[in-house]
Amino acid sequence: MTPTTPGLHHVTAIAGDPDANADFYVNTLGLRFVKKTVNHDDTGTYHFYFGDERGTPGTNITFFPWTDRGRQGRFGAGQTRDAAYLISPGSVDYWVDRLESRGVGIDRSERFGEPVLRFADPDGIGLELIASEDALEADIRPWGEGPVPTDRQLRGFHSVTLAVDDVGPTAEVLTGVLGYEFQGETGDRRRYRTPEGGPGSVVDLVETDADRGQMGVGTVHHVAYKAADVEEQERWRSAFQDGGLNVTQVIDRKYFRSIYSREPGGVLFEVATTGPGFAVDEDVDELGSSLTLPEWLEDERERIEAQLPAFDGPNVEDGGK
Ligand code: ZN
């Protein structure tokens, strides 16, 4: 049985200062801070999750804030250049005004007939807002308490743009392993889409002459695709192996289960289950309000809390709605 081709589940990047990171994603972009936990593999670092009201898979951008003392990354081949969110077609002017009024420089363009606003977050991570009809069918829950009116809020991912030195091998993984289909090209951009289409179904590839990127503050760590359940994830695991790629065992990430495989172009791919989700250890009303730890780290809570950097945000602004 062939698994359903996965759309995007989340994007994880490395930020600098935790306060600046949370303030931007909550107060400028209007995402909800849905989870404050630690990097399971480095418990001295927070792991922040931002998304819609419930942190629905397909809406989450997540960060390891390494603080201002963290090693700066360098963008290059084998990295995600931009993460793009959907906005509704009537919201372009709202977002231009909102971003410009907050000092965010925007590069406006149109791509495959859709308006694109491109900008960077405080650490230089490339972001886009793309106005698309797909926004109208996004299965998300707007955040009623947020600073952005619900009908203007980001509506989950549109796409990611991956920069590689040669699109061929990466395209082969997208189409041959993950079931994506070539959809078209514009300029130096080649677009791949799931057969089902819809929100979060697009991966764009661009070639870059830059050297291999170096992971650090201001770079994207990995891109995660969705698996409906553990059985489907196991089928993707086999598909990576059949494609000749190394893939990890299934790892329990508390809010989902994950496998990881680095594609030949250098981008780290993850396939994560859509469940159990963020309400597994906090009520939906309370998401993000306390430091949550998986049960296997709970015994070390005191030591972990003492080592984490200072962070008391985000303070959600009143949007004046
Ligand atoms: Zn991940």
Side-chain angles (χ1 to χ4, degrees):
M1 179 178 163
T2 308
T4 307
T5 297
L8 295 169
H9 185 292
H10 65 267
V11 172
T12 293
I14 299 166
D17 178 59
D19 287 295
N21 174 253
D23 182 64
F24 182 81
Y25 284 90
V26 172
N27 287 319
T28 297
L29 293 187
L31 294 174
R32 186 177 184 194
F33 185 62
V34 290
K35 195 61 72 178
K36 178 173 65 173
T37 183
V38 295
N39 181 348
H40 294 178
D41 304 321
D42 169 17
T43 60
T45 299
Y46 277 118
H47 193 177
F48 293 167
Y49 291 78
F50 305 92
D52 71 353
E53 185 169 64
R54 297 179 165 222
T56 305
T59 71
N60 302 308
I61 189 160
T62 98
F63 291 91
F64 303 130
W66 282 5
T67 78
D68 288 336
R69 296 184 303 283
R71 186 183 72 238
Q72 291 293 311
R74 193 189 66 216
F75 173 76
Q79 289 189 340
T80 299
R81 193 181 72 184
D82 302 297
Y85 274 97
L86 286 162
I87 55 172
S88 61
S91 295
V92 175
D93 290 345
Y94 171 86
W95 278 102
V96 169
D97 290 348
R98 184 176 184 87
L99 292 168
E100 286 184 341
S101 73
R102 302 175 78 93
V104 179
I106 307 169
D107 177 17
R108 291 184 76 159
S109 63
E110 192 166 292
R111 188 184 299 153
F112 293 103
E114 295 173 337
V116 179
L117 307 179
R118 185 161 180 238
F119 53 97
D121 85 351
D123 293 302
I125 291 167
L127 296 171
E128 293 176 332
L129 302 183
I130 299 182
S132 164
E133 296 290 329
D134 282 350
L136 307 176
E137 45 174 296
D139 185 19
I140 66 137
R141 287 279 293 263
W143 178 31
E145 304 297 313
V148 172
T150 52
D151 61 337
R152 303 296 191 197
Q153 288 179 18
L154 310 192
R155 302 189 61 80
F157 286 114
H158 174 282
S159 55
V160 288
T161 299
L162 311 181
V164 289
D165 61 7
D166 172 9
V167 297
T170 304
E172 179 58 33
V173 173
L174 286 175
T175 58
V177 174
L178 290 172
Y180 279 69
E181 296 173 345
F182 175 67
Q183 199 193 13
E185 54 192 312
T186 178
D188 64 346
R189 179 180 299 267
R190 292 173 65 82
R191 174 155 291 186
Y192 297 83
R193 195 176 184 107
T194 67
E196 296 80 11
S201 62
V202 170
V203 176
D204 284 349
L205 300 183
V206 295
E207 288 190 348
T208 176
D209 294 332
D211 291 341
R212 250 326 144 94
Q214 281 181 1
M215 195 193 39
V217 173
T219 63
V220 173
H221 189 270
H222 64 264
V223 171
Y225 302 88
K226 281 185 228 176
D229 51 35
V230 289
E231 289 77 23
E232 191 167 284
Q233 183 178 54
E234 203 49 52
R235 290 192 286 271
W236 287 118
R237 202 167 167 276
S238 300
F240 279 113
Q241 289 173 328
D242 293 346
L245 297 168
N246 291 321
V247 58
T248 66
Q249 296 293 322
V250 176
I251 300 170
D252 183 357
R253 293 304 190 193
K254 179 73 178 176
Y255 309 110
F256 39 81
R257 287 169 182 272
S258 301
I259 58 173
Y260 301 85
S261 180
R262 195 172 294 280
E263 58 82 29
V267 183
L268 184 59
F269 284 175
E270 172 183 350
V271 177
T273 55
T274 52
F278 296 108
V280 73
D281 59 2
E282 286 179 300
D283 290 341
V284 170
D285 287 353
E286 304 287 322
L287 288 178
S289 61
S290 59
L291 178 73
T292 61
L293 295 174
E295 41 282 5
W296 62 90
L297 291 175
E298 203 50 74
D299 285 350
E300 299 176 65
R301 176 176 284 273
E302 211 168 315
R303 182 189 61 78
I304 288 170
E305 288 184 346
Q307 287 179 349
L308 285 167
F311 172 67
D312 53 8
N315 299 305
V316 182
E317 290 174 13
D318 180 349
K321 288 178 285 180

